Amino acid sequence: MAPSIRDVQLTPVAGYRRPEAISAREDSGDLEDVRLLDAYDEELGEERGKDGEEKGMRRIQVRVTGMTCSACSSSVESAVAALGGVARVSVSLLQNKAHVVFDPNLVKDEEIKDAIEDAGFEAEILPDSSNSQSRSQKALSGQFRISGMTCAACVNSVEGILRKLPGVKRAVVALATSLGEVEYDPSVISKDEIVNAIEDAGFDAVFMQSSEQDKVLLSVDRLSTEIDLHVLQGILKNMKGVRQFQVNTGLAEVEIIFDPEFLGLRTIVDAIEKGSNGSLKVHVQNPYIRAASNDTQEASKMLHLFLSSLFLSIPVFLIRMVCPRIPMVNSFLLMHCGPFLLRDLVKWVLVSIVQFVIGKRFYVAAYRALRHGSTNMDVLVVLGTSASYFYSICALLYGAYTGFWLPIYFETSAMIITFVLFGKYLEVLAKGKTSDAIKKLVELAPATALLLVKDTEGRHIVEREIDAMLVQPGDVLKVIPGSKVPSDGTVVWGTSYVDESMVTGESAPILKEASSSVIGGTMNLHGALHIQATKVGSDTVLSQIISLVETAQMSKAPIQKFADYVASIFVPIVITMSLLTFLGWFICGSLGAYPNSWIAESSNCFVFSLMFSISVVVIACPCALGLATPTAVMVATGVGATHGVLIKGGDALERAQNINYVIFDKTGTLTQGKAAVTTAKVFTGMELGDFLTIVASAEASSEHPLARAILDYAFHYHFFGKLPTTKDAGRRHEEDLKSEWLLDVADFSAKLGKGVQCSIDGKEVLVGNRKLLAEYGIIIPSEAESFLVDLEMNAKTGILVAYDGNFVGVLGITDPLKREAVIVIEGLKKMGVHPVMVTGDNKRTAQAVAKEVGIDDVRAEVMPAGKAEVVNLLQKDGSIVAMVGDGINDSPALAAADVGMAIGAGTDIAIEAADYVLVRNNLEDVITAIDLSRKTFTRIRWNYFFAMAYNIIAIPIAAGVLFPLTGLRMPPWLAGACMAFSSVSVVCSSLLLRRYRKPRLTTILQITVE
């Protein structure tokens, strides 16, 4: 399986959140965690927790109630991590659980529970039966490279065999990538047993990687002698934290299972190189580069087989077609060797090598497939070539025995195998092109990094070039101009512009300075930077994008079920048709239904009928059907990633083509999400400064985007012109001042969809909308109501404030529309998609914003659960509904929608619930996602048309239906050539998607419904 997808950071928020998180966007240097798949965090937490138990540590799970965002989970983590004796804490927002590894001698369960409750959340220690699994019970997910699959029938066969194995919980095989992903229980079955099962089914299999986090495969240079081997084994045996290792001297590799709590990967590499006095050089094997190497090896192997077959087949072809026209050569070939002619013996020997040495792979694969009760293309090739080969042997022996020589067709089987191998070689090359997007993403990561080594006083004294895969969190790295950033991190020194277009799709270079976040794989353009690595390896944004794309490519679109069904019955149908063809021509010939002139060349109707039958078997191609969908999905997901649109699976891609409605959240989706207070008015005798201080103090504990806007407005009202001019000093001084001028707040409570309530100096404070004040019986004066209506009619949100039971004043807040919002909405209408805006804001503000952006269907004052109800309402008539959102309050609707699209700069739970992730936070990508989906499935339909039309037309022609009228017949060798090129044509058709260009703003309005 691909590396775990964890903590992909895609947007900035408040600076007090997790400092190690990374942002793909530049704002105020503030950061937020975004987890694409929290389940992977849970798995990792479990695995590491078990490691802790092995060292005498205890692991517990705590149910945490009240978490609403990543800031909450960070608060829980910080509170628990602050306890002495806690080794590790991981909080999963989606599961509402905290996984804690700790020393029971230093801290107790109840102390952990109390710490969480002191942080403002409810905590419950889960019983051991639900939180403790032994390592043997934990399911692993392993990825296997499977060679030799040629069609959907092969895929079905492998999947069926894997799913029947004991301990295997799930198995998915992708034909286009030649990869299989197997979820299995390692206590029941090992990866080697899975490999053996795949090989027994007739395919070659190699284990690639697993979800285990403490296993690494290293390549060791200069491991050539027994002395080197003993040195390596001695180093590893004496290394604390290494649990197990296995050395493969043939491949110069060592597989190490180690405890990440004791030592890091770089420590292992350094220990080996230092312990061997530099005689052994160690490199971490990148699984993606290894996979690319396997692809190259497979293509090289197929080319070698093809050239060998061609080299042996050309003489056979020349003996049959050319040599009879050269008298001297023909006389030589007509010499007798016993009862046989020399030319027949030469062809027999050459073709036997082609048939059984070069063609052995077809026999082995066909045998294993039949042994497991399945059929595939190899069965058809073996049937066709064997029929031609063994008929020719029988004819040759019959002639030698009786003296009556029948025509022989050795060249037919040789040419069929040659053409099939040529087609397979081209297919391997073409399929390799479909994964170019992942290869390009992998190539973005630099091979090496410049590590700044510190002395005991913390000064950087030397630069050391290391393998980029050995970078560890906390390392300070130097990035020179023109080089790539080795890992995700934070700038600690220097200023430069960085090109992030290769990851985020954002074309303009972005300024990076101290405290700015950087993404691994991006290009530093101008100045030198020192960055501190925060996320490395599989945790980086680039690795998670690669993993997400790879996972999507592993998934099957529902339309592929059709191909899988056809493939399951295809070969038996073709064999039946071949037999009917033979019987039809043979019986008709025996009854004299056609003239003898038709069979004069073939000597008898048996041979005449057999050639038609062989052509039918050979020309039929199930491979094209099996490749029609996965190759297109693979190319489309890769193309989407290069345009900043991450697609989570083929099923989401298929649903998106038929979208009827697109529902937009307002704040942060249609608008920029950068709310600003434009006006503040007090309707009592309270001073404006005191009014703003009370409101800011109440909102300081809130996570709502509007709270930040109110806090900033109040702060600048009081301290305008008093802050330092430099960015870092200004931010630090601002935080210091906030802690001084804000009032103490008690009994704070966030009212979902209404506002906040708290106590200041013993007096109740309410800040929110009309619903909140009505709930507490606060009457809004008519003057304030008129002012509020005026704000709402101008697309501004009015925030009402009550203090000590009395209405005090109003704040007017605006959130400007994104620059592309209007044209995207118009473009969707041109595409036949109906836009809808759903928001929790009041009706007047919502209608004003909708009018400005061009949306006619507006649903205002909708609570988070109500958004999902709107989705369900639109789905009642069978419409396909997409939801575009960025916040936690959008997650129920994102999950309920047929297609959920999370703005990449949104929150973690929104991205988890979505089917598409729009990395750039740009609404244009909504159109890109729909347009790419439509073009992809148009291509898939064409692929199916070509594949079906080929078989529907080619099989009757091969059977000879045109022969009575036109005299046109298809020799078996030509049928083999047609079959070989049919699957190549389908793959090449899918590759045309690589030319996809997303619609430009200038052309969006020209899109019309076809």
Side-chain angles (χ1 to χ4, degrees):
M1 175 177 172
S4 325
I5 304 175
R6 301 174 54 235
D7 299 338
V8 175
Q9 294 68 250
L10 299 168
T11 188
V13 291
Y16 54 82
R17 298 185 185 181
R18 292 175 63 176
E20 70 272 23
I22 304 168
S23 172
R25 291 170 51 83
E26 183 67 23
D27 190 4
S28 60
D30 303 325
L31 311 170
E32 177 179 8
D33 267 353
V34 177
R35 296 185 178 102
L36 289 183
L37 296 176
D38 268 359
Y40 283 85
D41 276 32
E42 182 176 359
E43 276 189 19
L44 186 57
E46 289 176 0
E47 183 173 349
R48 288 178 174 168
K50 295 174 193 61
D51 293 344
E53 282 185 291
E54 292 176 3
K55 297 176 295 183
M57 306 292 277
R58 172 168 163 74
R59 185 182 70 87
I60 63 170
Q61 281 188 11
V62 186
R63 179 179 288 116
V64 183
T65 306
M67 295 189 297
T68 58
C69 63
S70 59
C72 299
S73 59
S74 298
S75 298
V76 175
E77 286 183 352
S78 300
V80 177
L83 296 174
V86 173
R88 182 178 299 277
V89 56
S90 175
V91 178
S92 175
L93 179 63
L94 290 182
Q95 281 80 27
N96 289 317
K97 291 179 183 177
H99 306 266
V100 187
V101 180
F102 62 97
D103 187 346
N105 297 319
L106 299 177
V107 65
K108 305 301 180 185
D109 296 11
E110 287 300 317
E111 292 176 331
I112 295 173
K113 178 175 179 291
D114 292 341
I116 297 174
E117 290 178 344
D118 290 341
F121 306 91
E122 296 180 9
E124 176 191 354
I125 305 249
L126 296 176
D128 290 343
S129 60
S130 64
N131 70 35
S132 179
Q133 278 187 321
S134 68
R135 186 177 182 87
S136 63
Q137 291 176 316
K138 176 180 177 293
L140 297 180
S141 185
Q143 192 177 78
F144 300 81
R145 176 165 294 279
I146 304 171
S147 305
M149 295 188 298
T150 57
C151 60
C154 302
V155 173
N156 294 338
S157 176
V158 175
E159 286 184 345
I161 290 166
L162 290 174
R163 288 168 181 165
K164 293 177 182 177
L165 294 175
V168 172
K169 300 180 179 180
R170 183 178 64 89
V172 179
V173 178
L175 178 62
T177 59
S178 298
L179 292 177
E181 191 172 291
V182 184
E183 185 178 350
Y184 63 99
D185 186 342
S187 66
V188 180
I189 188 170
S190 69
K191 67 178 190 301
D192 293 330
E193 291 172 322
I194 294 175
V195 169
N196 292 336
I198 297 172
E199 290 179 343
D200 286 343
F203 307 90
D204 294 325
V206 177
F207 175 74
M208 298 292 292
Q209 58 186 347
S210 78
S211 58
E212 291 185 25
Q213 299 298 308
D214 57 357
K215 179 183 293 185
V216 65
L217 186 64
L218 304 175
S219 60
V220 186
D221 295 343
R222 307 174 190 170
L223 185 64
S224 54
T225 66
E226 286 292 326
I227 296 177
D228 295 330
L229 177 61
H230 289 311
V231 169
L232 176 60
Q233 291 175 337
I235 293 170
L236 294 176
K237 285 178 181 178
N238 296 325
M239 192 179 300
K240 188 177 181 181
V242 173
R243 300 178 190 159
Q244 183 181 339
F245 64 89
Q246 184 175 359
V247 182
N248 187 328
T249 54
L251 298 176
E253 294 176 348
V254 56
E255 184 181 76
I256 303 173
I257 297 177
F258 66 98
D259 188 343
E261 298 288 340
F262 271 106
L263 74 169
L265 184 54
R266 190 164 76 228
T267 306
I268 296 175
V269 172
D270 290 346
I272 294 174
E273 293 185 350
K274 290 179 182 178
S276 63
N277 295 320
S279 63
L280 299 177
K281 294 295 180 182
V282 182
H283 308 282
V284 182
Q285 288 202 1
N286 188 317
Y288 295 105
I289 295 176
R290 188 182 179 196
S293 175
N294 289 337
D295 289 339
T296 303
Q297 291 177 6
E298 184 178 358
S300 177
K301 178 181 177 182
M302 200 61 66
L303 177 62
H304 175 73
L305 289 173
F306 163 66
L307 292 177
S308 300
S309 181
L310 181 65
F311 177 76
L312 295 172
S313 298
I314 288 177
V316 176
F317 181 78
L318 293 176
I319 291 172
R320 173 64 184 265
M321 305 300 296
V322 179
C323 292
R325 293 176 172 80
I326 304 175
M328 184 178 299
V329 176
N330 189 45
S331 299
F332 174 76
L333 293 175
L334 291 176
M335 293 174 56
H336 279 79
C337 292
F340 304 106
L341 297 178
L342 179 61
R343 68 178 184 187
D344 295 335
L345 287 179
V346 171
K347 288 196 287 185
W348 190 356
V349 172
L350 294 176
V351 172
S352 296
I353 297 174
V354 174
Q355 186 76 25
F356 299 110
V357 179
I358 298 174
K360 176 184 176 182
R361 63 187 305 275
F362 297 113
Y363 279 95
V364 172
Y367 166 72
R368 290 176 175 172
L370 292 172
R371 192 179 68 180
H372 288 88
S374 62
T375 53
N376 55 23
M377 188 206 73
D378 297 305
V379 174
L380 297 179
V381 172
V382 167
L383 281 176
T385 57
S386 297
S388 175
Y389 177 81
F390 288 109
Y391 158 76
S392 298
I393 292 178
C394 292
L396 195 62
L397 295 176
Y398 179 78
Y401 181 74
T402 64
F404 181 76
W405 298 97
L406 296 172
I408 57 176
Y409 294 94
F410 280 122
E411 68 281 351
T412 296
S413 65
M415 295 304 291
I416 288 173
I417 290 176
T418 301
F419 279 120
V420 170
L421 289 173
F422 182 52
K424 288 294 132 189
Y425 170 65
L426 294 179
E427 186 180 317
V428 169
L429 292 181
K431 285 199 293 186
K433 295 290 184 183
T434 63
S435 59
D436 273 357
I438 285 183
K439 293 175 184 175
K440 289 178 181 177
L441 287 171
V442 171
E443 290 169 359
L444 290 179
T448 60
L450 283 177
L451 174 67
L452 297 177
V453 181
K454 297 180 181 180
D455 60 13
T456 54
E457 297 180 0
R459 294 175 300 183
H460 298 132
I461 57 173
V462 68
E463 297 176 6
R464 176 188 170 196
E465 187 174 21
I466 62 172
D467 191 320
M469 297 188 70
L470 298 180
V471 174
Q472 298 175 167
D475 286 344
V476 177
L477 309 170
K478 182 178 181 180
V479 187
I480 61 177
S483 65
K484 294 179 179 179
V485 178
S487 72
D488 294 358
T490 304
V491 177
V492 295
W493 177 88
T495 302
S496 181
Y497 280 88
V498 174
D499 180 7
E500 297 183 345
S501 60
M502 61 284 294
V503 176
T504 66
E506 190 65 51
S507 58
I510 298 175
L511 175 65
K512 301 294 181 181
E513 52 190 353
S515 299
S516 298
S517 60
V518 290
I519 303 174
T522 55
M523 181 68 72
N524 181 27
L525 299 179
H526 301 300
L529 295 174
H530 290 180
I531 69 165
Q532 185 173 38
T534 54
K535 298 291 182 182
V536 300
S538 61
D539 293 340
T540 63
V541 170
L542 181 60
S543 292
Q544 293 176 53
I545 289 175
I546 292 171
S547 185
L548 188 61
V549 173
E550 192 173 52
T551 302
Q553 292 178 349
M554 288 290 296
S555 66
K556 289 185 178 181
I559 195 174
Q560 195 172 338
K561 294 178 181 178
F562 166 73
D564 293 342
Y565 171 72
V566 172
S568 66
I569 62 173
F570 186 87
V571 173
I573 289 176
V574 169
I575 294 174
T576 302
M577 294 176 67
S578 176
L579 289 174
L580 293 175
T581 299
F582 173 79
L583 292 174
W585 283 106
F586 183 73
I587 292 173
C588 290
S590 301
L591 298 177
Y594 49 80
N596 290 332
S597 59
W598 288 7
I599 61 174
E601 182 185 352
S602 301
S603 300
N604 60 58
C605 66
F606 176 84
V607 177
F608 181 74
S609 305
L610 181 63
M611 290 301 105
F612 281 119
S613 178
I614 293 174
S615 294
V616 169
V617 169
V618 172
I619 203 169
C621 183
C623 305
L625 281 170
L627 291 169
T629 297
T631 53
V633 169
M634 172 174 261
V635 176
T637 51
V639 168
T642 61
H643 287 92
V645 178
L646 304 183
I647 307 166
K648 289 192 177 179
D651 52 346
L653 192 67
E654 181 169 348
R655 290 194 299 271
Q657 63 170 325
N658 297 317
I659 289 174
N660 304 111
Y661 293 91
V662 175
I663 300 176
F664 291 93
D665 177 49
K666 180 177 75 70
T667 304
T669 303
L670 289 173
T671 65
Q672 295 178 12
K674 298 177 181 179
V677 177
T678 59
T679 183
K681 188 171 182 179
V682 181
F683 292 89
T684 65
M686 183 182 292
E687 291 290 331
L688 180 59
D690 295 337
F691 170 73
L692 292 176
T693 300
I694 291 173
V695 177
S697 300
E699 292 288 0
S701 300
S702 174
E703 291 295 324
H704 199 281
L706 300 185
R708 177 77 186 192
I710 294 172
L711 197 60
D712 288 343
Y713 181 83
F715 178 82
H716 286 92
Y717 176 85
H718 286 292
F719 300 101
F720 182 74
K722 299 179 182 179
L723 291 177
T725 54
T726 63
K727 183 177 180 180
D728 290 338
R731 186 183 297 115
R732 288 194 297 270
H733 192 49
E734 180 180 345
E735 294 298 327
D736 293 339
L737 289 174
K738 281 181 180 177
S739 63
E740 296 174 2
W741 69 278
L742 292 177
L743 304 175
D744 291 333
V745 173
D747 301 325
F748 175 85
S749 175
K751 304 294 184 179
L752 190 63
K754 299 175 183 177
V756 300
Q757 177 269 333
C758 64
S759 295
I760 296 178
D761 295 332
K763 297 179 180 179
E764 186 178 59
V765 178
L766 301 173
V767 182
N769 55 21
R770 288 184 179 86
K771 289 182 179 179
L772 179 66
L773 267 64
E775 183 179 317
Y776 285 83
I778 306 297
I779 299 174
I780 303 174
S782 58
E783 182 185 358
E785 182 67 36
S786 299
F787 182 76
L788 185 60
V789 170
D790 185 58
L791 288 176
E792 294 169 347
M793 294 298 290
N794 287 281
K796 296 179 181 179
T797 300
I799 302 297
L800 308 178
V801 182
Y803 180 68
D804 195 22
N806 298 309
F807 181 84
V808 179
V810 178
L811 293 167
I813 298 180
T814 185
D815 187 0
L817 288 173
K818 292 179 178 176
R819 61 177 180 81
E820 73 276 6
V822 175
I823 198 167
V824 167
I825 296 301
E826 185 64 24
L828 287 172
K829 292 179 180 179
K830 291 285 186 179
M831 297 174 73
V833 178
H834 185 69
V836 180
M837 188 177 83
V838 179
T839 178
D841 216 333
N842 64 81
K843 290 183 180 180
R844 292 191 186 93
T845 301
Q847 288 172 349
V849 172
K851 182 178 180 181
E852 186 178 352
V853 80
I855 294 179
D856 301 321
D857 192 346
V858 184
R859 315 293 172 94
E861 300 180 5
V862 178
M863 302 293 281
K867 293 182 180 181
E869 293 175 3
V870 172
V871 171
N872 295 331
L873 183 65
L874 294 174
Q875 290 172 329
K876 281 187 176 180
D877 62 353
S879 297
I880 303 298
V881 179
M883 172 70 192
V884 183
D886 71 324
I888 289 173
N889 60 348
D890 301 323
S891 57
L894 287 169
D898 298 291
V899 180
M901 297 185 185
I903 293 292
T907 57
D908 49 1
I909 194 168
I911 290 176
E912 170 67 18
D915 301 300
Y916 282 72
V917 178
L918 311 182
V919 177
R920 293 192 308 151
N921 194 19
N922 191 315
L923 289 175
E924 296 172 41
D925 292 339
V926 175
I927 285 183
T928 300
I930 298 174
D931 185 58
L932 177 60
S933 173
R934 291 181 177 181
K935 284 184 168 58
T936 299
F937 276 84
T938 297
R939 179 58 52 189
I940 288 174
R941 292 185 188 95
W942 276 111
N943 287 350
Y944 277 128
F945 172 77
F946 289 137
M948 294 296 295
Y950 163 79
N951 284 292
I952 290 172
I953 295 173
I955 291 177
I957 292 176
V961 295
L962 299 180
F963 184 74
L965 300 176
T966 64
L968 179 66
R969 60 185 297 180
M970 184 174 290
W973 64 267
L974 181 58
C978 292
M979 184 271 286
F981 286 101
S982 64
S983 56
V984 176
S985 65
V986 168
V987 178
C988 291
S989 171
S990 294
L991 287 175
L992 292 176
L993 284 170
R994 295 201 304 170
R995 301 170 59 186
Y996 174 81
R997 296 293 181 268
K998 63 180 182 180
R1000 296 179 180 273
L1001 283 173
T1002 54
T1003 60
I1004 286 177
L1005 296 182
Q1006 300 175 10
I1007 298 175
T1008 56
V1009 181
E1010 297 180 357

